Short mmCIF file of all heavy atoms in Angstrom, two decimals:
data_model
loop_
_atom_site.label_atom_id
_atom_site.label_comp_id
_atom_site.label_asym_id
_atom_site.label_seq_id
_atom_site.Cartn_x
_atom_site.Cartn_y
_atom_site.Cartn_z
N ALA V 66 91.50 127.64 114.03
CA ALA V 66 92.79 128.31 113.85
C ALA V 66 93.01 129.37 114.93
O ALA V 66 94.10 129.47 115.50
CB ALA V 66 92.86 128.95 112.46
N GLU V 67 91.97 130.13 115.23
CA GLU V 67 92.09 131.17 116.25
C GLU V 67 92.35 130.55 117.62
O GLU V 67 93.16 131.04 118.40
CB GLU V 67 90.81 132.01 116.28
CG GLU V 67 90.87 133.17 117.25
CD GLU V 67 89.62 134.02 117.20
OE1 GLU V 67 89.00 134.14 116.12
OE2 GLU V 67 89.27 134.57 118.25
N TRP V 68 91.65 129.47 117.92
CA TRP V 68 91.82 128.79 119.21
C TRP V 68 93.25 128.27 119.36
O TRP V 68 93.84 128.34 120.43
CB TRP V 68 90.80 127.67 119.34
CG TRP V 68 90.66 127.12 120.71
CD1 TRP V 68 90.08 127.73 121.79
CD2 TRP V 68 91.10 125.85 121.17
NE1 TRP V 68 90.14 126.90 122.88
CE2 TRP V 68 90.77 125.74 122.53
CE3 TRP V 68 91.76 124.79 120.55
CZ2 TRP V 68 91.06 124.62 123.28
CZ3 TRP V 68 92.05 123.67 121.31
CH2 TRP V 68 91.70 123.59 122.66
N LEU V 69 93.80 127.76 118.25
CA LEU V 69 95.17 127.27 118.28
C LEU V 69 96.19 128.40 118.32
O LEU V 69 97.32 128.21 118.75
CB LEU V 69 95.46 126.39 117.05
CG LEU V 69 94.77 125.04 117.00
CD1 LEU V 69 94.99 124.39 115.65
CD2 LEU V 69 95.26 124.15 118.12
N GLY V 70 95.78 129.57 117.81
CA GLY V 70 96.70 130.69 117.76
C GLY V 70 97.68 130.61 116.61
O GLY V 70 98.72 131.26 116.61
N GLU V 71 97.33 129.84 115.58
CA GLU V 71 98.20 129.73 114.41
C GLU V 71 97.40 129.26 113.20
O GLU V 71 96.36 128.62 113.34
CB GLU V 71 99.36 128.78 114.68
CG GLU V 71 98.94 127.35 114.98
CD GLU V 71 100.11 126.44 115.28
OE1 GLU V 71 101.10 126.43 114.51
OE2 GLU V 71 100.05 125.73 116.29
N GLY V 72 97.90 129.59 112.02
CA GLY V 72 97.23 129.20 110.79
C GLY V 72 95.97 130.01 110.57
O GLY V 72 95.75 131.03 111.21
N GLY V 73 95.18 129.55 109.64
CA GLY V 73 93.92 130.21 109.31
C GLY V 73 92.92 129.17 108.85
O GLY V 73 93.20 127.97 108.85
N PRO V 74 91.74 129.63 108.41
CA PRO V 74 90.69 128.69 107.99
C PRO V 74 91.13 127.74 106.88
O PRO V 74 90.80 126.56 106.91
CB PRO V 74 89.55 129.59 107.52
CG PRO V 74 89.83 130.93 108.08
CD PRO V 74 91.30 131.02 108.33
N ARG V 75 91.88 128.26 105.92
CA ARG V 75 92.31 127.39 104.81
C ARG V 75 93.27 126.30 105.27
O ARG V 75 93.21 125.17 104.79
CB ARG V 75 92.93 128.23 103.69
CG ARG V 75 91.90 129.07 102.98
CD ARG V 75 92.52 129.84 101.82
NE ARG V 75 91.59 130.77 101.25
CZ ARG V 75 90.76 130.49 100.25
NH1 ARG V 75 90.75 129.28 99.73
NH2 ARG V 75 89.94 131.40 99.78
N GLN V 76 94.16 126.65 106.18
CA GLN V 76 95.10 125.65 106.69
C GLN V 76 94.36 124.57 107.49
O GLN V 76 94.65 123.38 107.36
CB GLN V 76 96.17 126.31 107.57
CG GLN V 76 97.16 127.15 106.79
CD GLN V 76 96.65 128.54 106.43
OE1 GLN V 76 95.64 129.00 106.94
NE2 GLN V 76 97.35 129.20 105.54
N VAL V 77 93.39 124.98 108.30
CA VAL V 77 92.59 124.01 109.05
C VAL V 77 91.80 123.14 108.07
O VAL V 77 91.74 121.91 108.21
CB VAL V 77 91.66 124.70 110.05
CG1 VAL V 77 90.69 123.70 110.68
CG2 VAL V 77 92.48 125.40 111.14
N GLY V 78 91.21 123.75 107.05
CA GLY V 78 90.47 123.00 106.04
C GLY V 78 91.33 121.98 105.33
O GLY V 78 90.90 120.85 105.07
N ARG V 79 92.56 122.36 105.03
CA ARG V 79 93.48 121.44 104.35
C ARG V 79 93.80 120.24 105.26
O ARG V 79 93.81 119.10 104.81
CB ARG V 79 94.77 122.19 103.98
CG ARG V 79 95.77 121.34 103.25
CD ARG V 79 95.36 121.11 101.83
NE ARG V 79 96.43 120.39 101.15
CZ ARG V 79 96.21 119.56 100.16
NH1 ARG V 79 94.99 119.38 99.70
NH2 ARG V 79 97.20 118.93 99.60
N VAL V 80 94.06 120.52 106.53
CA VAL V 80 94.32 119.43 107.48
C VAL V 80 93.11 118.50 107.54
O VAL V 80 93.25 117.27 107.49
CB VAL V 80 94.67 119.97 108.88
CG1 VAL V 80 94.65 118.86 109.92
CG2 VAL V 80 96.02 120.68 108.86
N MET V 81 91.92 119.08 107.64
CA MET V 81 90.72 118.26 107.73
C MET V 81 90.51 117.43 106.47
O MET V 81 90.11 116.28 106.54
CB MET V 81 89.50 119.13 108.03
CG MET V 81 89.52 119.79 109.40
SD MET V 81 89.64 118.63 110.77
CE MET V 81 88.05 117.81 110.62
N ALA V 82 90.80 118.02 105.31
CA ALA V 82 90.64 117.29 104.04
C ALA V 82 91.61 116.11 103.96
O ALA V 82 91.26 115.04 103.47
CB ALA V 82 90.84 118.23 102.86
N LEU V 83 92.82 116.30 104.44
CA LEU V 83 93.84 115.26 104.33
C LEU V 83 93.79 114.22 105.45
O LEU V 83 94.04 113.04 105.23
CB LEU V 83 95.24 115.88 104.31
CG LEU V 83 95.57 116.72 103.09
CD1 LEU V 83 96.92 117.40 103.27
CD2 LEU V 83 95.56 115.87 101.83
N TYR V 84 93.48 114.67 106.68
CA TYR V 84 93.63 113.80 107.84
C TYR V 84 92.39 113.70 108.73
O TYR V 84 92.41 112.99 109.72
CB TYR V 84 94.79 114.30 108.73
CG TYR V 84 96.08 114.56 108.00
CD1 TYR V 84 96.53 115.86 107.81
CD2 TYR V 84 96.85 113.51 107.51
CE1 TYR V 84 97.72 116.10 107.14
CE2 TYR V 84 98.03 113.75 106.84
CZ TYR V 84 98.47 115.05 106.66
OH TYR V 84 99.65 115.29 106.01
N GLY V 85 91.32 114.41 108.41
CA GLY V 85 90.19 114.54 109.32
C GLY V 85 89.23 113.37 109.41
O GLY V 85 88.30 113.41 110.22
N GLY V 86 89.40 112.34 108.64
CA GLY V 86 88.45 111.24 108.64
C GLY V 86 88.36 110.46 109.94
O GLY V 86 87.34 109.83 110.22
N ALA V 87 89.39 110.53 110.77
CA ALA V 87 89.41 109.74 112.00
C ALA V 87 88.93 110.54 113.22
O ALA V 87 88.90 110.01 114.32
CB ALA V 87 90.83 109.23 112.26
N VAL V 88 88.56 111.79 113.02
CA VAL V 88 88.06 112.64 114.11
C VAL V 88 86.63 113.07 113.75
O VAL V 88 86.19 112.88 112.62
CB VAL V 88 88.97 113.86 114.34
CG1 VAL V 88 90.37 113.42 114.76
CG2 VAL V 88 89.03 114.76 113.13
N PRO V 89 85.90 113.66 114.69
CA PRO V 89 84.52 114.10 114.38
C PRO V 89 84.50 115.31 113.43
O PRO V 89 84.26 116.45 113.83
CB PRO V 89 83.92 114.41 115.75
CG PRO V 89 85.07 114.57 116.68
CD PRO V 89 86.22 113.83 116.10
N TRP V 90 84.78 115.06 112.16
CA TRP V 90 84.92 116.08 111.13
C TRP V 90 83.69 116.95 110.98
O TRP V 90 83.78 118.12 110.62
CB TRP V 90 85.26 115.43 109.78
CG TRP V 90 84.28 114.37 109.37
CD1 TRP V 90 84.40 113.04 109.62
CD2 TRP V 90 83.03 114.56 108.71
NE1 TRP V 90 83.29 112.37 109.13
CE2 TRP V 90 82.44 113.28 108.56
CE3 TRP V 90 82.36 115.66 108.20
CZ2 TRP V 90 81.21 113.09 107.94
CZ3 TRP V 90 81.13 115.49 107.59
CH2 TRP V 90 80.56 114.21 107.45
N TRP V 91 82.52 116.42 111.28
CA TRP V 91 81.27 117.16 111.11
C TRP V 91 81.15 118.31 112.12
O TRP V 91 80.30 119.17 111.97
CB TRP V 91 80.06 116.23 111.23
CG TRP V 91 80.00 115.51 112.54
CD1 TRP V 91 79.35 115.90 113.67
CD2 TRP V 91 80.64 114.27 112.87
NE1 TRP V 91 79.54 114.98 114.69
CE2 TRP V 91 80.33 113.97 114.22
CE3 TRP V 91 81.45 113.38 112.16
CZ2 TRP V 91 80.80 112.83 114.86
CZ3 TRP V 91 81.90 112.25 112.81
CH2 TRP V 91 81.58 111.98 114.15
N ARG V 92 82.01 118.33 113.12
CA ARG V 92 81.97 119.40 114.12
C ARG V 92 82.82 120.61 113.72
O ARG V 92 82.87 121.59 114.44
CB ARG V 92 82.43 118.88 115.47
CG ARG V 92 81.50 117.82 116.03
CD ARG V 92 81.93 117.36 117.39
NE ARG V 92 81.18 116.17 117.77
CZ ARG V 92 81.66 115.22 118.56
NH1 ARG V 92 82.85 115.33 119.09
NH2 ARG V 92 80.91 114.16 118.83
N VAL V 93 83.49 120.54 112.57
CA VAL V 93 84.24 121.68 112.03
C VAL V 93 83.53 122.08 110.74
O VAL V 93 83.41 121.29 109.82
CB VAL V 93 85.72 121.32 111.77
CG1 VAL V 93 86.47 122.53 111.24
CG2 VAL V 93 86.36 120.79 113.03
N VAL V 94 83.04 123.32 110.73
CA VAL V 94 82.12 123.72 109.67
C VAL V 94 82.49 125.07 109.07
O VAL V 94 83.30 125.82 109.62
CB VAL V 94 80.67 123.79 110.24
CG1 VAL V 94 80.24 122.44 110.78
CG2 VAL V 94 80.54 124.87 111.30
N ARG V 95 81.82 125.36 107.98
CA ARG V 95 81.93 126.68 107.35
C ARG V 95 81.21 127.70 108.22
O ARG V 95 80.27 127.36 108.94
CB ARG V 95 81.30 126.65 105.96
CG ARG V 95 81.97 125.69 105.03
CD ARG V 95 81.29 125.47 103.71
NE ARG V 95 80.15 126.32 103.41
CZ ARG V 95 79.56 126.35 102.24
NH1 ARG V 95 79.98 125.59 101.26
NH2 ARG V 95 78.52 127.13 102.03
N ALA V 96 81.62 128.92 108.14
CA ALA V 96 81.04 129.98 108.97
C ALA V 96 79.57 130.23 108.67
O ALA V 96 78.84 130.73 109.52
CB ALA V 96 81.84 131.27 108.81
N ASP V 97 79.11 129.87 107.47
CA ASP V 97 77.70 130.12 107.12
C ASP V 97 76.75 129.06 107.66
O ASP V 97 75.54 129.17 107.52
CB ASP V 97 77.52 130.27 105.61
CG ASP V 97 77.86 129.01 104.82
OD1 ASP V 97 78.12 127.94 105.41
OD2 ASP V 97 77.87 129.09 103.58
N GLY V 98 77.28 128.02 108.30
CA GLY V 98 76.43 127.00 108.92
C GLY V 98 75.92 125.93 107.99
O GLY V 98 75.19 125.04 108.42
N LEU V 99 76.29 125.98 106.72
CA LEU V 99 75.87 124.93 105.80
C LEU V 99 76.75 123.70 105.97
O LEU V 99 77.95 123.83 106.19
CB LEU V 99 75.95 125.41 104.35
CG LEU V 99 74.89 126.43 103.94
CD1 LEU V 99 75.17 126.97 102.54
CD2 LEU V 99 73.51 125.82 104.00
N PRO V 100 76.16 122.51 105.88
CA PRO V 100 76.97 121.29 105.98
C PRO V 100 78.00 121.22 104.86
O PRO V 100 77.82 121.82 103.80
CB PRO V 100 75.95 120.16 105.84
CG PRO V 100 74.65 120.77 106.22
CD PRO V 100 74.73 122.20 105.78
N LEU V 101 79.06 120.50 105.11
CA LEU V 101 80.15 120.34 104.16
C LEU V 101 79.61 119.82 102.83
O LEU V 101 78.97 118.76 102.79
CB LEU V 101 81.19 119.37 104.73
CG LEU V 101 82.44 119.13 103.91
CD1 LEU V 101 83.26 120.41 103.81
CD2 LEU V 101 83.25 118.03 104.56
N PRO V 102 79.83 120.55 101.72
CA PRO V 102 79.34 120.10 100.42
C PRO V 102 79.83 118.69 100.08
O PRO V 102 81.00 118.38 100.26
CB PRO V 102 79.91 121.13 99.44
CG PRO V 102 80.14 122.35 100.27
CD PRO V 102 80.54 121.83 101.64
N GLY V 103 78.92 117.88 99.64
CA GLY V 103 79.24 116.50 99.31
C GLY V 103 79.09 115.54 100.47
O GLY V 103 79.11 114.32 100.29
N HIS V 104 78.97 116.08 101.67
CA HIS V 104 78.85 115.25 102.87
C HIS V 104 77.63 115.66 103.70
O HIS V 104 77.55 115.33 104.88
CB HIS V 104 80.12 115.37 103.73
CG HIS V 104 81.36 114.96 103.02
ND1 HIS V 104 81.75 113.65 102.89
CD2 HIS V 104 82.28 115.69 102.36
CE1 HIS V 104 82.87 113.59 102.19
NE2 HIS V 104 83.21 114.82 101.86
N GLU V 105 76.70 116.36 103.07
CA GLU V 105 75.54 116.89 103.79
C GLU V 105 74.75 115.82 104.52
O GLU V 105 74.43 116.00 105.71
CB GLU V 105 74.60 117.65 102.83
CG GLU V 105 75.20 118.86 102.17
CD GLU V 105 75.81 118.55 100.81
OE1 GLU V 105 76.05 117.37 100.48
OE2 GLU V 105 76.05 119.52 100.07
N ALA V 106 74.42 114.74 103.84
CA ALA V 106 73.57 113.70 104.44
C ALA V 106 74.25 113.07 105.66
O ALA V 106 73.63 112.91 106.71
CB ALA V 106 73.21 112.63 103.42
N ARG V 107 75.53 112.74 105.52
CA ARG V 107 76.26 112.13 106.65
C ARG V 107 76.40 113.11 107.80
O ARG V 107 76.23 112.74 108.97
CB ARG V 107 77.63 111.64 106.19
CG ARG V 107 77.54 110.38 105.33
CD ARG V 107 78.87 109.86 104.88
NE ARG V 107 79.83 109.70 105.96
CZ ARG V 107 81.14 109.92 105.82
NH1 ARG V 107 81.64 110.30 104.67
NH2 ARG V 107 81.95 109.74 106.84
N ALA V 108 76.70 114.36 107.49
CA ALA V 108 76.83 115.37 108.55
C ALA V 108 75.50 115.56 109.26
O ALA V 108 75.46 115.61 110.50
CB ALA V 108 77.32 116.69 107.95
#
């Protein structure tokens, strides 16, 4: 969101949840460094 200069973490998360399956989703993560819950093994 900061790089784009618009929106925030929740808006980016919503986009990733709805449309992120076709891009390298595992490269967008929570700030604490834990893999995305429910997708840990694949990530």
Side-chain angles (χ1 to χ4, degrees):
E67 184 177 328
W68 194 72
L69 290 172
E71 62 181 311
R75 290 183 187 270
Q76 289 80 13
V77 171
R79 181 75 175 150
V80 168
M81 294 302 294
L83 293 174
Y84 310 109
V88 298
W90 54 266
W91 58 92
R92 296 183 191 150
V93 181
V94 301
R95 298 172 7 172
D97 64 8
L99 289 173
L101 183 65
H104 301 278
E105 298 93 344
R107 287 181 51 215

